[in-house]
């Protein structure tokens, strides 16, 4: 019964009945997409599996409280963000011993260059967050994940001209934002 329903119909049914089999159907439909996204970011199969499971567990509450128009693209972005948050939370938990010889020989990046790079990446992420949702999603897919227009249309459900427009306008808005915050 649930297999013939659209994602929107399933979510509506879930909100109405709290039927967990709906989550199971969405899991069946999108587990490979979520796992692939998680594997891309986590770069470890076990961590990717754990992240995918955590995301689907969160759906139990998230689907009750969020209006979602395009579930597949929303899930893709949610998976990416979940993985990035996990990666950020691990940052700084690993200590690396620095060999004095490396420092003397200048193998390490100069601290000011490293700080500048980190600041620029932080500004870029802030500017991406300020883009409207469609621009944000298409820019990330095109520039950060190196997807082609056709792949982006499949992932997002947007028409080709809309994808091109989002990327072009998003790129222009990013440039303006980076210059203003530079």
């Amino acid at each position: 019964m649930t297999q013939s329903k659209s994602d929107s119909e399933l979510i509506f049914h879930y909100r109405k009945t709290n039927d967990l089999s709906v989550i199971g159907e969405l899991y069946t439909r999108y587990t490979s997409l979520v796992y692939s996204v998680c594997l891309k970011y986590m770069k470890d199969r076990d961590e990717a599996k754990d992240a995918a499971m955590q995301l689907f567990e969160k759906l139990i509450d998230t689907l009750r409280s969020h209006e979602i128009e395009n579930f597949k693209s929303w899930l893709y972005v949610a998976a990416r963000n979940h993985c990035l948050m996990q990666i950020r939370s691990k940052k700084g938990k690993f200590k690396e011993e620095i060999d004095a010889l490396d420092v003397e020989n200048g193998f390490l990046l100069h601290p000011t260059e490293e700080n500048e790079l980190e600041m620029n990446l932080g500004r870029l992420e802030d500017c991406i967050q300020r883009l409207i949702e469609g621009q944000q999603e298409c820019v990330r897919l095109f520039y950060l994940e190196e997807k082609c227009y056709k792949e982006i249309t499949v992932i997002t459900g947007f028409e080709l001209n809309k994808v091109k427009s989002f990327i072009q306008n998003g790129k222009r808005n990013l440039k303006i934002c980076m210059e203003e915050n530079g």
Side-chain angles (χ1 to χ4, degrees):
M1 173 182 144
T2 58
Q3 294 169 340
S4 62
K5 290 186 176 183
S6 71
D7 296 342
S8 299
E9 291 171 325
L10 284 173
I11 292 168
F12 179 78
H13 177 74
Y14 175 70
R15 286 180 148 182
K16 207 166 131 180
T17 64
N18 287 330
D19 181 2
L20 291 177
S21 70
V22 170
I23 303 292
E25 175 61 27
L26 292 171
Y27 177 83
T28 301
R29 288 182 188 183
Y30 296 110
T31 189
S32 61
L33 170 76
V34 172
Y35 174 72
S36 298
V37 171
C38 292
L39 185 59
K40 177 177 181 170
Y41 286 96
M42 305 306 283
K43 305 210 184 316
D44 177 270
R45 290 179 190 272
D46 291 331
E47 286 183 17
K49 286 178 189 173
D50 290 344
M53 286 305 297
Q54 290 166 0
L55 188 66
F56 279 106
E57 288 170 5
K58 282 184 179 180
L59 282 182
I60 294 170
D61 294 324
T62 305
L63 289 180
R64 289 186 193 125
S65 59
H66 287 78
E67 287 294 326
I68 301 167
E69 289 182 29
N70 185 333
F71 181 74
K72 183 178 181 181
S73 59
W74 175 87
L75 185 61
Y76 178 90
V77 171
R80 184 200 67 228
N81 290 344
H82 179 77
C83 292
L84 290 174
M85 291 301 289
Q86 285 198 336
I87 291 167
R88 285 183 189 136
S89 72
K90 290 180 185 178
K91 206 177 205 182
K93 291 186 179 178
F94 301 104
K95 293 185 178 178
E96 184 178 332
E97 264 187 54
I98 299 174
D99 189 329
L101 186 60
D102 286 344
V103 175
E104 288 173 16
N105 290 330
F107 290 141
L108 296 176
L109 191 61
H110 193 276
T112 57
E113 291 172 12
E114 187 176 295
N115 292 341
E116 188 176 324
L117 176 63
E118 191 67 35
M119 283 177 30
N120 284 336
L121 289 173
R123 281 193 358 245
L124 179 61
E125 183 61 35
D126 289 342
C127 288
I128 289 173
Q129 292 292 334
R130 293 180 190 176
L131 296 175
I132 64 170
E133 190 173 326
Q135 287 178 5
Q136 191 179 120
E137 187 174 6
C138 290
V139 164
R140 285 185 190 279
L141 290 169
F142 188 75
Y143 290 106
L144 302 180
E145 299 181 25
E146 300 176 347
K147 301 289 185 191
C148 69
Y149 292 138
K150 197 171 194 175
E151 290 173 308
I152 295 171
T153 61
V154 170
I155 292 168
T156 63
F158 297 133
E159 293 178 11
L160 180 62
N161 287 338
K162 193 74 170 167
V163 168
K164 289 179 179 180
S165 175
F166 278 147
I167 291 170
Q168 182 179 7
N169 293 332
K171 181 180 174 184
R172 184 186 67 244
N173 291 336
L174 272 179
K175 182 180 179 190
I176 292 167
C177 179
M178 289 295 285
E179 287 171 354
E180 286 175 354
N181 295 307

